[in-house]
Amino acid sequence: MPCCQIIITSSARKAAALSVLLAPQNAFCFAPTTAWTSTTRPHIGPKRSQFTPIPEKSSMEDFEDEPCLQRENVVSDCDITSCNLSARKKAYLKSNATKSTAETQTKLSAAINLGKCICGAGSFALPHVFLKEGVLGGTLAMTICAYLATCTMQSINQSRYYLESEEDEAAAPRSYVQLAEMALGKTTAKVVFALTLAASLGVCSTYIAFIGQTLHSLSIDSESNNIVHTFMPNVELKTWEVATAAAVFPLSLVRNYGIFAFTSALGVAAVLGGIFVTLAYGIAVDPGGGLMKALSAVTALPMWPESMADAFGGSFGTIAYLFCVNFLTFPIINSMKNPSKDYNDSVAFAVSVVWFVNVIFAIICLGFYGDQTEDLVLQNLSNGPYLSALKILLCVDLLFTFPVVFSSGRQILENALLNGGDESVESLDDSTSLTLSRTALTAGAVSTCFGLSQVGGFGVVANLVGGVAQGTLAFIIPPAVDIALSRRKRGRFCGSEIPQWLIGGFGVAVVASVTYFTLRESIS
């Protein structure tokens, strides 16, 4: 998992599609045939009528740093500080707000895009999750997480539909933050906003951990004589992670994301190739013996965790990192022809297929390597020429995906700390002082990502991000919205609220247990 989703479509300056996922798990989702519209945050600041009207622009060619722009891309909830946008950009967005809606996705295409968003680097950590939770325990945990993520994504859609029917269509929420504000107030909207920032930086930190661990495993392998060991032998893990952070820093300063468009196809190919090669290698080479041998080995493994509390707090967040892509609900809904009827089925289909594929993958890999299953199962593979090339390909993909995912968090910070609600800052866009401020802010945010990566390995960091940020957005906020709207409609408690209270309670347990486990591990 997982995150905001950015898809830059054809324009005068951008001819390719690319994606960003906060999550997940998952910087590998993209929609090459779909132009998704951006969502907007609730307006905070001066009323739009206070802005000086600017003549309408016919294109967005002059806007280079535009992760929030309509028709160009999608970042969930990008416009919470819309008062900080230039007046010219505001005028363009306002004048094109209705005509930029590209509601073209069918039920099947939406399901495919959701599936792409869920599947990603997090899949390679699942075999170790099953080692911790047991074969049946891991299957049960994935089933619960997938089912509840499905329910809450569908609940968000239903809440949106209720507000759309209650208000006029133009006033219906177009983003997760806006839904939270309309149902729960501005304070909760700001919490959702902050969690989106946390998810953005958290997912980026998992990329640093993934790249560092993978290259470290290649560097210390003297037997395979792979290219990394040949030129950089026995380099320490922390050194690789520092080098990764240093490499992504200049990339994160880039504000024209079209140059990273190639990462969409590269990411999908790398992840699918990684899953296929991992299975093929285990069946034919190490340990070998065919598929039936691996499945028979599974029966000798523990079915349930030794400590339910440790397994839940120490690994359930990794599963949430994979499935809890609730913050992508609005971009996908906004892109569909008939979301009120089709979205729920798309979610159910996508989550079911991804659940099936990942459960099978995790169980078979656990049968291959048993107690020796690594935090990232790729580390169980040898480092021959082809396998090392695949691992390097995954690292290169994440290296160039980092700045695109990072851009949403960076823009949130810039709007909050640099603009400060003063539109006069736009006149400083090309000044040295603002450039230095942006550079310093980016350096601080990348350093934060590096710091988070030091909490533990990829699985530990993914568990923290998935369990806290994504877990809150998936298991706590949607039930709270549903209950608030139910009370607004009926004016009293209703029995239909009970499932939502149970989901919310489960979410609190996930966030609390993952936080406690991570703090305990960090201290110890």
Side-chain angles (χ1 to χ4, degrees):
M1 340 104 12
C3 89
C4 295
Q5 174 89 358
I6 297 180
I7 297 179
I8 299 181
T9 55
S10 298
S11 68
R13 295 192 173 189
K14 303 177 182 69
L18 64 91
S19 66
V20 170
L21 219 129
L22 280 178
Q25 45 279 356
N26 316 312
F28 308 110
C29 52
F30 71 101
T33 61
T34 304
W36 286 359
T37 59
S38 70
T39 55
T40 57
R41 291 196 172 100
H43 179 67
I44 297 177
K47 295 181 180 179
R48 296 190 182 276
S49 59
Q50 294 175 348
F51 297 132
T52 303
I54 301 294
E56 180 179 336
K57 296 288 289 182
S58 59
S59 71
M60 297 299 289
E61 293 181 358
D62 296 328
F63 303 137
E64 285 298 329
D65 183 25
E66 72 286 37
C68 301
L69 300 187
Q70 301 233 15
R71 296 219 288 183
E72 289 296 301
N73 49 57
V74 171
V75 172
S76 183
D77 312 320
C78 248
D79 197 23
I80 194 168
T81 51
S82 57
C83 59
N84 299 326
L85 298 175
S86 66
R88 186 162 56 101
K89 185 183 293 186
K90 287 180 191 137
Y92 180 89
L93 295 181
K94 186 174 181 180
S95 64
N96 289 273
T98 55
K99 64 182 180 181
S100 65
T101 302
E103 299 171 345
T104 59
Q105 282 206 94
T106 63
K107 184 188 300 186
L108 178 61
S109 63
I112 292 173
N113 282 320
L114 267 171
K116 291 173 183 175
C117 293
I118 297 172
C119 274
S123 297
F124 298 111
L126 289 179
H128 193 262
V129 170
F130 274 55
L131 176 63
K132 282 186 172 184
E133 299 193 354
V135 176
L136 295 180
T139 303
L140 178 62
M142 280 193 66
T143 303
I144 291 174
C145 186
Y147 174 74
L148 293 182
T150 301
C151 290
T152 54
M153 281 189 277
Q154 293 173 342
S155 173
I156 290 174
N157 183 42
Q158 292 163 359
S159 297
R160 174 192 178 278
Y161 184 71
Y162 169 77
L163 288 171
E164 186 177 50
S165 60
E166 185 182 59
E167 309 284 344
D168 60 274
E169 184 175 351
R174 301 286 295 177
S175 75
Y176 200 172
V177 171
Q178 196 171 28
L179 174 67
E181 183 186 34
M182 294 177 70
L184 301 171
K186 289 186 177 180
T187 300
T188 304
K190 292 179 180 179
V191 170
V192 173
F193 178 51
L195 288 171
T196 301
L197 171 61
S200 173
L201 299 183
V203 170
C204 288
S205 70
T206 65
Y207 296 166
I208 294 177
F210 185 102
I211 295 172
Q213 284 181 240
T214 302
L215 295 180
H216 173 67
S217 69
L218 292 169
S219 177
I220 63 175
D221 186 1
S222 59
E223 296 180 1
S224 67
N225 197 30
N226 64 81
I227 188 172
V228 176
H229 177 77
T230 300
F231 290 99
M232 289 165 284
N234 303 317
V235 177
E236 295 183 355
L237 172 60
K238 183 170 288 187
T239 302
W240 281 115
E241 292 175 336
V242 170
T244 301
V248 298
F249 170 65
L251 294 175
S252 300
L253 295 173
V254 175
R255 309 181 92 77
N256 181 4
Y257 310 111
I259 66 175
F260 300 120
F262 69 93
T263 61
S264 292
L266 175 64
V268 173
V271 172
L272 294 180
I275 291 175
F276 174 78
V277 170
T278 301
L279 293 175
Y281 180 84
I283 291 172
V285 182
D286 181 20
L291 181 61
M292 296 309 298
K293 181 180 178 180
L295 294 177
S296 63
V298 171
T299 60
L301 297 171
M303 294 292 110
W304 300 98
E306 295 181 1
S307 170
M308 189 67 69
D310 287 348
F312 186 71
S315 58
F316 188 85
T318 305
I319 302 175
Y321 177 84
L322 193 74
F323 284 102
C324 294
V325 294
N326 295 59
F327 42 80
L328 295 179
T329 292
F330 275 93
I332 295 176
I333 288 176
N334 294 339
S335 71
M336 296 186 70
K337 292 179 180 179
N338 193 355
S340 61
K341 294 183 178 179
D342 295 341
Y343 178 76
N344 290 357
D345 292 339
S346 297
V347 170
F349 178 76
V351 172
S352 298
V353 172
V354 172
W355 172 89
F356 178 78
V357 170
N358 280 281
V359 166
I360 297 300
F361 175 71
I363 291 176
I364 293 177
C365 288
L366 189 60
F368 289 153
Y369 307 113
D371 293 340
Q372 304 302 313
T373 303
E374 297 284 352
D375 184 40
L376 284 170
V377 73
L378 290 174
Q379 296 174 13
N380 287 106
L381 279 61
S382 68
N383 295 316
Y386 298 108
L387 292 175
S388 60
L390 173 66
K391 294 178 182 181
I392 293 172
L393 177 65
L394 282 166
C395 291
V396 170
D397 171 65
L398 289 183
L399 188 70
F400 286 100
T401 302
F402 182 102
V404 190
V405 178
F406 179 82
S407 65
S408 60
R410 184 199 66 199
Q411 188 170 28
I412 288 172
L413 289 173
E414 287 183 356
N415 284 341
L417 300 180
L418 298 185
N419 289 8
D422 182 6
E423 289 193 60
S424 63
V425 77
E426 295 293 341
S427 63
L428 302 176
D429 276 355
D430 297 325
S431 70
T432 302
S433 60
L434 186 60
T435 299
L436 291 175
S437 297
R438 285 174 165 174
T439 302
L441 193 62
T442 299
V446 171
S447 299
T448 301
C449 294
F450 171 76
L452 287 173
S453 71
Q454 301 307 298
V455 172
F458 175 86
V460 175
V461 180
N463 184 60
L464 177 63
V465 176
V468 178
Q470 293 175 245
T472 303
L473 292 172
F475 301 136
I476 296 179
I477 301 298
V481 169
D482 186 273
I483 291 170
L485 295 181
S486 176
R487 295 288 178 88
R488 182 184 302 179
K489 181 179 180 180
R490 297 181 176 88
R492 57 182 176 79
F493 172 81
C494 179
S496 61
E497 295 178 12
I498 294 177
Q500 300 297 334
W501 281 104
L502 293 176
I503 294 174
F506 177 80
V508 171
V510 169
V511 174
S513 61
V514 169
T515 302
Y516 169 78
F517 177 86
T518 304
L519 291 175
R520 190 186 69 179
E521 290 296 303
S522 300
I523 294 174
S524 62

